[in-house]
């Protein structure tokens, strides 16, 4: 059924075209969330204000158009998809207000959960919910799903830490429970609705059997159905309404702000892994731990441990555990080290009576802690990594009463065996009786769907009927448990949920078939295909964890969406369908605007670097092999050509003036489709060629200085207050620290190969890399001397296969922190400094070290929020400037208090200077300015 013409006409007047998507590529890309369902929306709208949401809902109500809201789309049960209108959050939903020294925080729904905690960290506080996806999921989804997590339990979820909420109902009416004027208006206009809620509350509390059932259900972790506990917990209809929105999954209204009562984030913590001989002993230990000072207790069955036992860093004993072994990963937190140690003694005393097969004692070492928790965190991706291509990974989420946990675990394992889910693993938040089980499932045949249906029917009977547990503890009901809500709750409670739904959404336009559905087969429909596309990305489970760090997300496609589209293209080709149109759109949306930085791989549970696929596709289209070979062979000439181009551009600036040149070059860049680079005020001037000077023999320690080709060609811009070149500044700093600086021979011809690799010319790239390694071996006397590379992307490329060379290679951060700190005296400057941690610096593991160095050099350091990659991506800042502009669209506002920024990549600094409105320089400029040679 197509969308009404009047609805589309009104939307076109309100929402700009660049925030409306109805083309096949975009609707398919947005039709995917982290669940195993797919619906293709007819229209996707990116909203930037509450006023837009209100208007959209009023028109949707008028015309009977179903709408679905989406924040990050990391939900696992099909809550964030639609075959009608999908409303997604844009950039302008990131507001926050911290109150009372962090005791409360008011957040808009577009804030990522981890960012909220970063804002609260200086106060020693955090929000209560701590879902595993907190690095990617947003507050809107956390509230709408009543998410919890490993340490949250039931006491600290959104429902129990809610201090206020701002919402929009299906008819477009607004309510802010923290605003007296808003409350007054709402009471006047919606008195009947509030009275009906109050009446339902009184009736529910008076129904002693139903009220007791509700209280019992929420003694456990439970997100199945609507939040009926609000009817027994509150008598004020405004409180009932606000808490009903929590866990409603977008079926009752839109959440435009929420205020949390925050919780203490205790700084001292320790973890232990204790393996018991069997499930029964393990679960009995959980019962004892309920009364102990623990913050998290994670259960891992033998299958989960087996799934990660061969991973690097895993304790060797994991491979040799008995078949029935079951482990607990225990964490305790305290306000002080001494109190923590008291707590650990109490915990170990309580567990002393239990038989233990193996254990790793409590450790406070952060590295060891991270290693232990990696066992738990790697279990889910471990199943995803070994699944058969074409199948999906399903993670289910149930709760047993803790006192029946052992029986429940064994019964679930028996169901795995009965339905032949041999790869299934089981783990979970044991203190709450909350278990996750992960299995792989194909939906390509009727037999596979029937197997899944039979399994889920058995799980529902086991958990909800036999044990009186929850079918959804924290992942939300979605559409995959909607048919089982009545089975779990009973008819009376189920009908009460429908009354609430129809009261708040009488026309049923809000997220239909989610939480409540009249279709008993809804969980078996709209199943998402995961066809083979390329071995580089076939393991993708489409969770969306990659999206927050992608510079092109919101401009074109995110890594998840690139994989979705490429999978669809390959499936269509196999089916004999013409893909020319979608491939033409994907060339720009997917390939051309991918920065290929690899940050997505750092966030991906299965380690997928979507940029690798895009570079592979670029190499497929790389048809100028002879040109690439000529450039590789005549690199010194090519470098002179770059200098000449910069010289011409600089001359044009002096002749035409900067404003006219910027306007003219922007037009030429558009007309040439990026072939002519766009000139900006940050465009470098040409750098003089570095002259080779043979090393002399003296008492100073030697360092080989590799000046990257970009720093050899690009001097500071004419507008830059700092006119000393990076080469001169670096050499000056190294000599100040007492080093003899050695320059490799034939430097003008040398290159790490990155410019060739990024264009898809892998052979030429590898040739240049090997040539450079040979020159560096010679200059460093066979690897005897350290090698300083002034640009972090080049360093990263050279160290990618560390075992193949004897080179002692350093990027600026690592060299300064390991070789210069004891040779220089630092006097930090008063002027604030902005820091950009490049993608390559992050890959090198030096991100925090760069920030720490900046803090050694300046009393105030600004790290802009939400900017993980600048999007300059080698030369894309020149050829695809919109990618750089999009990635840095919030930079100027973030660094307004600074007069200078630092980084470790010359090309990144060009884009940062342009879009930040301040000069960005290499780290050495700052270090040189604030240091003096230490007297010996």
């Amino acid at each position: 059924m197509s969308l009404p013409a009047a609805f589309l006409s009104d939307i076109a007047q309100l929402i700009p075209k660049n925030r409306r998507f109805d083309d096949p590529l975009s609707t398919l890309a947005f039709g995917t969330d982290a669940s195993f369902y797919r619906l293709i929306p007819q229209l996707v709208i990116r909203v930037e204000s509450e006023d837009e949401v209100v208007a959209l809902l009023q028109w949707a109500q008028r015309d009977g158009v179903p709408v679905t809201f989406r924040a990050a789309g990391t939900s696992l049960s099909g809550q964030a998809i639609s075959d009608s209108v999908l409303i997604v959050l844009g950039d302008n939903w990131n507001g926050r207000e911290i109150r009372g020294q962090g005791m409360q925080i008011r957040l808009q729904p577009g804030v990522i959960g981890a960012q909220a905690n970063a804002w609260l960290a200086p106060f020693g506080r955090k929000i209560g919910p701590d879902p595993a996806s907190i690095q990617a999921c947003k507050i809107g989804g956390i509230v709408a799903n009543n998410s919890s997590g490993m340490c949250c339990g039931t006491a600290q979820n959104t429902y129990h830490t809610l201090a206020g909420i701002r919402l929009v109902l299906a008819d477009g009416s607004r309510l802010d429970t923290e605003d007296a004027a808003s409350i007054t208006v709402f009471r006047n206009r919606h008195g009947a609705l509030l009275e009906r809620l109050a009446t339902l509350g009184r009736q529910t509390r008076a129904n002693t059997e139903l009220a007791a059932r509700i209280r019992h259900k929420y003694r456990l972790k439970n997100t199945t159905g609507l939040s009926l506990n609000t009817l027994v917990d509150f008598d004020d209809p405004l409180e009932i309404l606000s808490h009903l929105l929590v866990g409603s999954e977008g079926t009752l209204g839109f959440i435009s702000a929420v205020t949390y009562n925050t919780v203490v984030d205790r700084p001292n913590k320790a973890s232990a892994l204790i393996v018991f001989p069997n499930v029964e002993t393990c679960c009995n230990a959980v019962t004892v731990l309920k009364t102990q000072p623990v913050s998290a207790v994670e259960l891992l069955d033998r299958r989960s441990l087996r799934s990660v036992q061969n991973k690097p860093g895993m304790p060797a004993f994991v491979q040799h555990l008995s078949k029935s072994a079951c482990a607990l990963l225990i964490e305790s937190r305290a306000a002080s080290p001494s109190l923590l140690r008291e707590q650990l003694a109490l915990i170990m005393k309580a567990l002393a009576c239990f038989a233990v097969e193996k254990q790793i004692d409590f450790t406070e070492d952060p590295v060891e802690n991270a290693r232990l928790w990696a066992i738990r965190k790697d279990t889910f991706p471990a199943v995803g990594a070994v699944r058969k291509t074409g199948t999906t990974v399903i993670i289910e989420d149930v709760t047993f009463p803790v006192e029946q946990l052992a029986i429940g675990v064994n019964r679930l394992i028996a169901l795995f065996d009965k339905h032949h889910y041999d790869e299934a693993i089981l783990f979970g938040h044991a203190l709450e009786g909350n278990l996750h089980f992960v299995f792989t499932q194909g939906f390509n045949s009727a037999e596979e769907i029937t197997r899944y249906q039979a399994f889920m029917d058995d799980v529902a009977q086991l958990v909800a009927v036999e044990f009186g547990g929850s079918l959804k503890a924290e992942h939300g009901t979605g559409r995959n448990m909607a048919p089982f809500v009545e089975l779990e709750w009973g008819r009376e409670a189920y009908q009460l949920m429908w009354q609430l739904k129809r009261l708040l959404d009488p026309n049923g336009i809000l997220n239909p078939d989610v939480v409540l559905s009249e279709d008993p087969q809804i969980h078996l429909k709209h199943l998402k295909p995961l066809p083979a596309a390329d071995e580089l990305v076939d393991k993708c489970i489409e969770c969306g964890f990659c999206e927050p760090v992608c510079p092109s997300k919101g401009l074109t496609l995110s890594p998840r969406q690139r994989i979705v589209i490429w999978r669809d293209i390959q499936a269509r080709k196999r089916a004999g369908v013409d893909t020319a149109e979608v491939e033409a759109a994907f060339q720009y949306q997917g390939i051309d605007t991918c920065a290929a930085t690899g940050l997505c791989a750092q966030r991906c549970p299965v380690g997928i670097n979507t940029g690798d696929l895009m570079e592979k596709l670029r190499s497929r289209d790389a048809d100028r092999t002879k040109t690439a070979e000529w450039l590789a062979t005549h690199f010194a000439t090519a470098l002179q050509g770059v200098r000449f181009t910069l010289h011409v551009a600089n001359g044009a600036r002096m002749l035409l003036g900067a404003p006219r040149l910027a306007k003219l070059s922007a037009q030429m860049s558009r007309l040439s489709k990026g072939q002519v680079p766009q000139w900006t005020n940050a465009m470098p001037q040409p750098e003089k060629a570095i002259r080779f000077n043979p090393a002399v023999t003296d008492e100073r320690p030697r360092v080989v200085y590799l000046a990257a080709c970009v720093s050899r060609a690009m001097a500071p811009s004419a507008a830059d207050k700092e006119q000393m070149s990076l080469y001169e500044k670096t050499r000056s700093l190294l000599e100040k620290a007492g080093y003899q600086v050695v320059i490799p021979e034939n430097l003008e011809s040398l290159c790490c190969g990155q410019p060739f690799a990024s264009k898809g010319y892998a052979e030429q790239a590898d040739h240049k890399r090997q040539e450079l390694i040979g020159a560096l071996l010679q200059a460093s006397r066979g690897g005897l001397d350290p090698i300083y590379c002034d640009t972090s992307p080049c360093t990263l490329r050279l160290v990618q296969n560390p075992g193949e060379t004897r080179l002692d290679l350093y990027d600026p951060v690592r060299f300064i922190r390991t070789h210069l700190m004891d040779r220089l005296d630092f006097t930090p400057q008063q002027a604030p400094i902005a820091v950009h941690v490049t993608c390559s610096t992050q890959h090198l593991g030096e991100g925090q070290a760069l920030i720490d160095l900046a803090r050694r050099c300046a009393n105030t350091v600004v790290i802009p929020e939400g900017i993980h990659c600048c999007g300059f991506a080698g030369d894309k800042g020149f050829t695809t400037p919109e990618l750089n502009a999009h990635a840095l669209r919030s930079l100027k506002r973030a660094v307004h208090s600074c007069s200078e920024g630092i980084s470790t990549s010359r090309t990144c600094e060009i884009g940062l200077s342009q879009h930040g409105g301040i000069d960005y320089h290499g780290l050495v400029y700052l270090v040189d300015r604030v240091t003096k040679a230490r007297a010996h």
Side-chain angles (χ1 to χ4, degrees):
M1 183 176 170
S2 58
L3 299 175
F7 180 77
L8 293 173
S9 175
D10 286 337
I11 286 173
Q13 298 298 313
L14 177 70
I15 307 293
K17 194 173 190 313
N18 65 347
R19 292 199 277 118
R20 288 180 278 123
F21 308 91
D22 60 3
D23 61 286
L25 183 145
S26 298
T27 53
L28 173 60
F30 280 107
T32 295
D33 67 359
S35 74
F36 50 96
Y37 298 99
R38 171 171 293 150
L39 291 172
I40 310 299
Q42 296 177 59
L43 178 64
V44 179
I45 303 170
R46 184 176 289 135
V47 292
E48 295 291 4
S49 72
E50 187 182 81
D51 286 345
E52 290 179 353
V53 174
V54 168
L56 288 170
L57 286 176
Q58 288 171 340
W59 296 330
Q61 187 84 280
R62 178 195 70 194
D63 297 325
V65 175
V67 298
T68 296
F69 309 116
R70 176 186 288 188
T74 60
S75 50
L76 293 161
S77 303
Q79 298 97 317
I81 54 176
S82 170
D83 58 3
S84 179
V85 175
L86 185 65
I87 299 175
V88 300
L89 297 179
D91 285 342
N92 295 332
W93 295 94
N94 293 312
R96 93 274 195 173
E97 178 192 349
I98 298 173
R99 302 173 182 168
Q101 294 296 298
M103 297 297 287
Q104 286 190 341
I105 187 167
R106 185 171 173 92
L107 298 163
Q108 286 188 291
V111 172
I112 291 174
Q115 183 60 67
N117 284 340
W119 291 329
L120 289 167
F123 304 99
R125 312 285 297 184
K126 63 178 182 175
I127 60 172
D130 62 336
S133 58
I134 198 164
Q135 293 286 341
C137 66
K138 296 182 178 179
I139 292 298
I142 290 174
V143 178
N145 289 292
N146 198 22
S147 306
S148 45
M150 289 187 228
C151 301
C152 171
T154 52
Q156 295 183 350
N157 62 21
T158 299
Y159 182 93
H160 286 109
T161 56
L162 185 72
I165 196 167
R166 184 175 176 90
L167 56 90
V168 182
L169 293 181
D171 62 359
S173 55
R174 313 182 213 214
L175 170 65
D176 188 335
T177 64
E178 296 185 298
D179 182 337
S182 174
I183 291 171
T184 300
V185 170
F186 193 85
R187 285 190 190 279
N188 290 337
R189 294 181 181 175
H190 293 84
L193 182 149
L194 293 175
E195 181 51 41
R196 183 62 185 144
L197 285 174
T199 301
L200 286 173
R202 287 192 296 270
Q203 290 172 348
T204 303
R205 293 190 295 275
N207 185 336
T208 53
E209 186 177 342
L210 177 59
R213 179 162 181 74
I214 291 170
R215 291 189 179 99
H216 165 75
K217 293 292 292 180
Y218 286 103
R219 180 175 67 88
L220 309 175
K221 255 191 185 182
N222 187 0
T223 58
T224 308
L226 297 176
S227 300
L228 291 184
N229 45 342
T230 188
L231 296 172
V232 297
D233 291 343
F234 303 100
D235 56 5
D236 180 347
L238 287 174
E239 290 282 10
I240 292 173
L241 177 58
S242 61
H243 285 80
L244 262 179
L245 266 287
V246 177
S248 64
E249 302 175 33
T251 65
L252 300 181
F254 176 81
I255 298 160
S256 57
V258 65
T259 302
Y260 278 104
N261 291 317
T262 62
V263 301
V264 174
D265 186 15
R266 294 182 177 88
N268 299 280
K269 65 180 180 180
S271 301
L273 180 70
I274 302 180
V275 184
F276 300 90
N278 51 56
V279 168
E280 291 76 12
T281 307
C282 186
C283 293
N284 288 336
V286 171
T287 306
V288 169
L289 289 171
K290 284 283 281 185
T291 62
Q292 295 303 311
V294 291
S295 58
V297 177
E298 293 291 299
L299 180 146
L300 299 106
D301 75 340
R302 182 65 184 99
R303 295 170 184 239
S304 343
L305 293 167
R306 192 176 293 118
S307 73
V308 295
Q309 66 187 19
N310 295 316
K311 283 186 169 283
M314 291 296 142
F317 70 72
V318 175
Q319 295 190 27
H320 308 293
L321 294 173
S322 64
K323 185 179 179 181
S324 60
C326 193
L328 293 180
L329 179 57
I330 306 168
E331 181 177 274
S332 183
R333 298 188 178 200
S336 68
S338 58
L339 182 57
L340 177 62
R341 286 172 197 130
E342 282 182 28
Q343 291 179 181
L344 302 184
L346 287 171
I347 294 166
M348 292 311 296
K349 183 178 178 182
L351 294 176
C353 60
F354 293 98
V356 171
E357 185 170 322
K358 287 283 184 181
Q359 74 180 52
I360 297 177
D361 293 334
F362 274 107
T363 173
E364 298 174 54
D365 181 353
V367 175
E368 288 301 314
N369 261 302
R371 190 170 290 143
L372 286 177
W373 281 97
I375 296 175
R376 160 65 175 85
K377 291 173 180 176
D378 284 346
T379 49
F380 175 40
V383 175
V386 299
R387 69 181 169 83
K388 183 180 176 183
T389 299
T391 62
T392 190
V393 180
I394 297 178
I395 179 167
E396 280 301 346
D397 165 46
V398 300
T399 305
F400 291 103
V402 175
E403 57 273 15
Q404 296 177 293
L405 185 59
I407 307 171
V409 169
N410 283 326
R411 292 288 300 278
L412 273 176
I413 292 172
L415 285 184
F416 299 156
D417 294 336
K418 175 184 174 182
H419 294 279
H420 307 293
Y421 288 105
D422 301 325
E423 77 294 342
I425 65 170
L426 193 146
F427 55 88
H429 315 317
L431 286 179
E432 310 298 331
N434 176 198
L435 297 175
H436 300 319
F437 52 95
V438 181
F439 58 100
T440 64
Q441 176 70 53
F443 292 121
N444 300 318
S445 69
E447 291 78 13
E448 279 294 290
I449 294 173
T450 300
R451 178 170 76 124
Y452 173 71
Q453 180 180 10
F455 176 60
M456 292 310 297
D457 286 346
D458 280 356
V459 168
Q461 282 292 330
L462 173 70
V463 176
V465 179
E466 288 190 48
F467 284 84
S470 309
L471 287 169
K472 282 294 183 182
E474 57 182 7
H475 293 170
T477 311
R479 56 188 68 238
N480 73 323
M481 279 302 170
F484 301 101
V485 175
E486 184 174 7
L487 178 73
E488 176 174 330
W489 275 97
R491 181 163 183 78
E492 188 174 21
Y494 184 62
Q495 289 303 319
L496 181 55
M497 292 181 192
W498 272 111
Q499 285 186 64
L500 292 166
K501 168 69 171 172
R502 289 168 180 143
L503 177 63
L504 294 172
D505 181 21
N507 294 334
I509 64 165
L510 298 181
N511 219 1
D513 284 324
V514 168
V515 181
L516 302 175
S517 177
E518 294 173 334
D519 183 351
Q521 302 290 305
I522 194 67
H523 65 308
L524 304 175
K525 296 177 179 177
H526 313 297
L527 300 168
K528 179 169 69 179
L530 288 176
D534 189 286
E535 60 183 9
L536 290 171
V537 297
D538 280 342
K539 298 303 180 188
C540 174
I541 53 181
E542 298 182 3
C543 63
F545 285 15
C546 54
E547 292 189 332
V549 295
C550 177
S552 64
K553 181 184 182 290
L555 172 70
T556 51
L557 299 176
S558 69
R560 165 166 66 175
Q561 292 172 331
R562 285 183 168 89
I563 293 171
V564 167
I565 301 300
W566 192 243
R567 279 175 165 163
D568 186 66
I569 289 171
Q570 298 311 300
R572 289 183 186 215
K573 282 185 172 179
R574 284 192 292 270
V577 177
D578 183 11
T579 61
E581 186 177 341
V582 69
E583 285 200 74
F586 187 68
Q587 181 65 43
Y588 176 76
Q589 297 265 356
I591 300 172
D592 294 348
T593 51
C594 177
T597 62
L599 290 186
C600 47
Q602 292 188 355
R603 294 291 185 95
C604 176
V606 291
I608 292 169
N609 182 346
T610 311
D612 286 346
L613 174 62
M614 297 304 107
E615 289 197 348
K616 182 177 179 179
L617 297 180
R618 287 171 190 161
S619 67
R620 178 194 64 178
D621 300 328
D623 55 3
R624 297 181 181 177
T625 305
K626 289 187 177 179
T627 302
E629 287 175 355
W630 188 91
L631 289 170
T633 308
H634 302 84
F635 195 77
T637 305
L639 208 59
Q640 270 306 112
V642 172
R643 293 188 183 106
F644 178 74
T645 302
L646 292 173
H647 181 73
V648 169
N650 201 40
R653 174 192 62 81
M654 291 187 284
L655 183 66
L656 298 172
R660 287 179 66 193
L661 178 59
K663 187 176 179 181
L664 180 62
S665 75
Q667 291 171 342
M668 292 177 66
S669 183
R670 276 196 302 273
L671 290 171
S672 68
K673 295 184 177 178
Q675 294 298 308
V676 176
Q678 184 170 322
W679 187 91
T680 72
N681 267 331
M683 183 69 79
Q685 298 175 99
E687 182 59 270
K688 301 183 189 74
I690 297 171
R691 291 184 180 177
F692 170 72
N693 292 315
V696 296
T697 303
D698 62 24
E699 297 299 316
R700 295 177 297 169
R702 288 165 42 116
V703 58
V704 176
Y705 175 20
L706 170 60
C709 55
V710 288
S711 51
R712 300 198 304 267
M714 299 178 179
S717 73
D720 198 328
K721 301 182 194 73
E722 176 62 75
Q723 287 295 303
M724 183 181 279
S725 71
L726 177 61
Y727 166 73
E728 292 169 325
K729 183 62 71 175
T730 303
R731 182 163 193 151
S732 169
L733 177 64
L734 293 172
E735 289 178 344
K736 181 201 293 185
Y739 278 93
Q740 179 191 171
V741 178
V742 178
I743 305 298
E745 285 190 61
N746 200 26
L747 182 62
E748 280 292 274
S749 297
L750 300 178
C751 171
C752 72
Q754 185 61 40
F756 298 91
S758 65
K759 295 288 184 293
Y761 297 98
E763 187 178 333
Q764 290 77 18
D766 188 59
H767 169 72
K768 293 307 291 182
R769 180 174 178 271
Q770 293 302 328
E771 182 183 43
L772 175 56
I773 287 171
L776 293 175
L777 276 169
Q778 181 181 346
S780 64
R781 300 181 292 177
L784 184 65
D785 303 317
I787 299 163
Y788 176 101
C789 180
D790 63 11
T791 302
S792 54
C794 300
T795 315
L796 179 64
R797 179 163 171 78
L798 288 170
V799 301
Q800 279 173 345
N801 300 307
E804 72 177 11
T805 73
R806 303 185 303 277
L807 297 178
D808 190 17
L809 268 159
Y810 295 82
D811 76 318
V813 181
R814 182 166 168 250
F815 190 86
I816 291 168
R817 71 175 176 80
T818 57
H819 288 291
L820 300 191
M821 298 297 283
D822 60 351
R823 292 172 170 268
L824 299 170
D825 287 323
F826 287 74
T827 305
Q829 67 179 38
Q830 293 299 317
I833 199 85
V835 175
H836 176 73
V837 183
T838 68
C839 308
S840 47
T841 303
Q842 295 176 60
H843 285 304
L844 289 165
E846 297 292 338
Q848 188 58 49
L850 172 59
I851 294 167
D852 292 343
L853 260 176
R855 288 177 174 150
R856 185 79 178 263
C857 297
N859 291 327
T860 304
V861 172
V862 175
I863 303 149
E865 294 165 2
I867 296 176
H868 303 275
C869 169
C870 71
F872 206 92
D875 66 350
K876 283 196 176 295
F878 298 127
T879 61
T880 317
E882 64 271 26
L883 176 62
N884 185 223
H886 179 77
L888 298 180
R889 62 195 181 279
S890 63
L891 180 62
K892 185 174 286 189
R893 185 170 63 251
V895 300
H896 68 90
S897 63
C898 306
S899 57
E900 183 189 23
I902 60 160
S903 190
T904 54
S905 168
R906 181 69 190 92
T907 50
C908 294
E909 288 148 21
I910 297 169
L912 291 162
S913 298
Q914 179 191 350
H915 296 291
I918 60 174
D919 294 330
Y920 271 79
H921 303 123
L923 170 66
V924 292
Y925 287 84
L926 176 64
V927 173
D928 184 61
R929 185 187 311 134
V930 302
T931 58
K932 292 182 179 178
R934 181 169 295 177
H936 291 283

